[in-house]
Amino acid sequence: MQISSFKDMYLAELQELASVEGQLAESLLQMAEVASHPALKDTLVNHREQTEIQKERLLSLLQKHGADPMAHTDQAMQALIHETEKMMTMLKGNDLRDAGLIASAQKLIHYEIAAYGTAAALAGQLDLRDDQQTLHRSLEGEKQTDVLLTQLAKSDINPDAVAA
């Protein structure tokens, strides 16, 4: 696909984000299955639900603009998920695995934060205020999940992993 306008670039970003959310939903389910700490398991399951909502928002935006939601596959997310899967098999012991899951989840979420921030900025430049608000809503959800994971890591999971 050739990108020849700012709007095309914006739509490509939305398509990439739709791919990100689709890939992430599957990965979060796998991560929740191997998590042992109940609060971590809940956070990952809740984030998966949030991810599904965000994907639907993106599909709605793409449909509004007449863009194909399946036009792109985000390769960076593929690589991050591959690293997460590798990490899950390398870490031995529940406490250490949970700490690694948080680290991996935060890498994935930070990528989403960057992508949503970029897409929202592009929407703003195009004066697509409704799109921008929708993207900001997803961005704020990502930031909140990041804060929850940080709190969980600091209060319970990382100290348990250090002590193990």
Side-chain angles (χ1 to χ4, degrees), residues 124-164:
Q125 287 294 302
L126 291 165
D127 204 27
L128 299 170
R129 297 298 173 218
D130 290 342
D131 287 20
Q132 188 177 33
Q133 287 178 347
T134 297
L135 293 164
H136 272 291
R137 196 165 41 251
S138 294
L139 176 61
E140 289 308 311
E142 296 300 335
K143 289 178 179 180
Q144 289 171 3
T145 300
D146 185 47
V147 168
L148 285 173
L149 287 169
T150 297
Q151 291 169 344
L152 192 55
K154 287 181 177 181
S155 66
D156 292 337
I157 292 179
N158 288 355
D160 289 349
V162 169

